[in-house]
Every structure is written in C-alpha cells, then in structure tokens.
Amino acid sequence: MMNTPVENEGVAKSSIRSYLTLRMRDYGILLALIIIIAFFQIMTNGVLLRPVNITNLFLQNSYVTIMALGMLMIIVAGHIDLSVGSIVGFIGALAAVMMVQWGVPVIPTFIVCILAGMLIGAWQGYWVAYWKIPAFIVTLAGMLVFRGLTLWLLDGQSVGPFPGGFQLLSTGFIPDIFGVGRPNMTALAAGVVAAAAIIWLAVRGRQRNKAYGVEDEPLSFFIARNAIVAAVLIFVAWKLASFRGLPNVLITMAVLTVIYAFITEKTTFGRRVYAIGGNLKAAQLSGINTRRLTFLTFVNMGMLAGLAGLVFAARLNIATPGAGNGFELDVIAAVFIGGASMSGGVGKIVGAVVGAFIMGILNNGMSILGIGIDYQQVIKGLVLLAAVFFDVYNKNKA
C-alpha cells in the first residue's frame, strides 16, 4: 500500500529529526562556531574578521591546534596528557640553547627537538602502557619535571632572539607565485582549490555510501553543509589574500589535519585507537596490542607537542621560563568542545580543530573587547563545562 503525500512528508520529517538527533554533536559544534563568530564580529564592530586579525588568529592559535590533533587521539584512547604545556616550554628552551648559545644550525636543531619530544612521549607512554600507571598521574609528574627542566636549561632567564630562518616557521608567509602582490592570488587560488576538493570528496563519499546502501545525511543538509564550508574557505582565503597571503603555519596545520584525519578514519591504526577507547577488554580479546597502541599515541603526542613548542618559540622569538603555562588546559578544552567524549572512543579530528578555533576566537574576541584575564578564564571554564555536560546529557539520553 502506497503512502499518501502527508504520510511521506511525516516520514521525511521524522527521518530528518532522527538524523539530527544522532548527529547533534557534529552539527552543534559548527553551529556554536558560527554563533561565536557572529557575536564577536558584531561586538567588535567588525574587527574580528579583518584580514590582519584573521591572520593573527591563525598565528596565535597554531600551537593549540597542532597539539589538539595529538590530544584527540590520547583522549579517544581513554587517557589524558597534562604535560603538553610543559613540553612546549622545554622544547622551546632546548631550541634556544642550541641555536642561540651553542650556534647549532636551524635544521639540526629542529630534528633534535622533534626527537626530544618523541622521547618524552615515549617515556610517559611507557609508564602508562606497560606499567598501567594512570595517565593523569604520569603526565602530572611530567608537567612538574619538564617545567623544572625548562627553568634549569634557561637558568631562570629568557634566551633569544632566534635566527631569522627559524622565525619563518611561525611568522613567515607563502610568496605569491603569480607575482601579483595584493591581492595575493596564490592564497585565493589555494582557497578555491581547497573548497573544490572538499566538495568533490564529499560528493564522491556520498556516491560510495549510496552504492553500498549506507544511510547518508539528507540531501538538503549535505548541500547546505558543503556550501557553507566552501564559502567559509573562499572567504578566509580572500581575507588572507588582501593582507599578506598564506602564513607558513597555516599550511603546516592544514597538512597535519589532513594527515591525521586520514589516519584516524582510514587506517587500521586509527580504528584500533577508537576500539581501545571504546572497550579496552573487547579490543584485547580481539587480538589488538593495546599496550603498543597506547605507547604510540603518547609518542605521537610528544612529537606534536615538540612541534608546537618550536612554533610557539619562533612566534615569540624568545624562549622564556614561563612558556607553555596553561596550554594543556586550552588543548584539552578544545578537544572536548570539539565533541570528544571524556570516556574515550568518540571524537573526530575536524571537531578538535573546530574546538581549537573556538578557543582561539574566544581568547581573541575577549582580548579585543578588553575583557580581563580573570573573566576570560571564568568564561572559558564555563564553556568547557557546558561541552562536557552536553556529552554526558546525550549519553544518558541514549
């Protein structure tokens, strides 16, 4: 028996409602980002989205975004890392001592610092994975140890400035290969290409899901979501093109985001990380080497924290004993705001990146408005609490 038009409309509405309920986490974070941007754009009289401020947003938020990629995998695996801020400070101090005091060239220093970050991650991952010491305790100890080692390395003083080649890691820009100057056509072309690539991949993925009979999002939502993403990319590219073009650090963030999205969504390693966070016992019984995976997630986190330390030091052009203080809070908050579950097994790389930018826009917008650091901390704490409450509420509701 065929359904009437009214019945078909009711089924369609029910389908959309159920889809939104299941994907509330994903759509909620994007909606929150849009609302926050609109709010600060109005309250700052348009300052937020000026080309120079958008560039500053990328520069100021780069190290948080880089570390959020690794922290997502740590949290998805069911752990936490409180030491990342101290590692940032320690690696920056190590780079300063090597380049400024010892005269070591930039590239060898970069390699040594990244390896040092990986060794720190391996050291902490060893205790968590093979001795079953809670990650909270291990990384809390690491936070204290590497904060102390930073003070020791710098002898309690600031060290700098860095060589010009090293500063380009954070403050450099991609030259305009078309030679136009302003607007920077390279930046604009990159935005258009990125938007086209995202739409092409989305259409391809939807066709593949349809071929395998996998239920996909309603067509109207699919079109609207991808149109918004493409429009935002082109808009940001135009803003950057009208200033100095693409910052080097933006390219770094984009490449890392693509790589880690592929790892978490398309590789066996990524799927196994989600498995151990979702149900550790089941993962062990299925033959997954959970200890090795846990160990590698901490090595990865150490590597990204080391890179973030280099980026932050290059931006400041100086290494200070207090560098990295409180960074772990912004990174952890970004991951939870981006939709990760505190119980593990849930979270996406794109969500972590969006969460990092929400934290960055909050910091930037409140600073433009002249809101004191005391109120900024209160507001960010409430935002984090709201994100965790949302996760718990949805879990209990399910």
Side-chain angles (χ1 to χ4, degrees), residues 317-383:
N317 196 25
I318 194 169
T320 64
N325 276 339
F327 282 10
E328 62 278 348
L329 302 180
D330 278 352
V331 174
I332 293 169
V335 174
F336 282 132
I337 290 171
S341 173
M342 59 182 180
S343 58
V346 175
K348 292 183 177 180
I349 288 295
V350 174
V353 172
V354 172
F357 276 104
I358 285 179
M359 292 299 295
I361 292 168
L362 284 174
N363 289 329
N364 183 267
M366 288 188 290
S367 296
I368 294 173
L369 293 175
I371 297 174
I373 189 66
D374 47 356
Y375 288 108
Q376 288 189 33
Q377 296 296 332
V378 171
I379 292 170
K380 288 193 292 184
L382 292 175
V383 170

Side-chain angles (χ1 to χ4, degrees), residues 172-181 184-187 244-248:
F173 290 81
I174 303 297
D176 189 357
I177 61 176
F178 297 102
V180 176
N184 187 300
M185 295 306 296
T186 300
R244 296 181 62 186
L246 295 172
N248 291 340

Side-chain angles (χ1 to χ4, degrees), residues 88-101 104 106 109 113 154 158-169 309-320 323:
V88 165
F90 176 75
I91 295 298
L94 179 60
V97 168
M98 291 182 67
M99 284 187 287
V100 178
Q101 295 184 351
V104 180
V106 173
T109 298
C113 287
L154 297 176
S158 297
V159 176
F162 289 104
F166 179 72
Q167 295 175 44
L168 293 176
L169 178 65
L310 293 172
V311 169
F312 184 68
R315 178 173 170 265
L316 290 185
N317 196 25
I318 194 169
T320 64

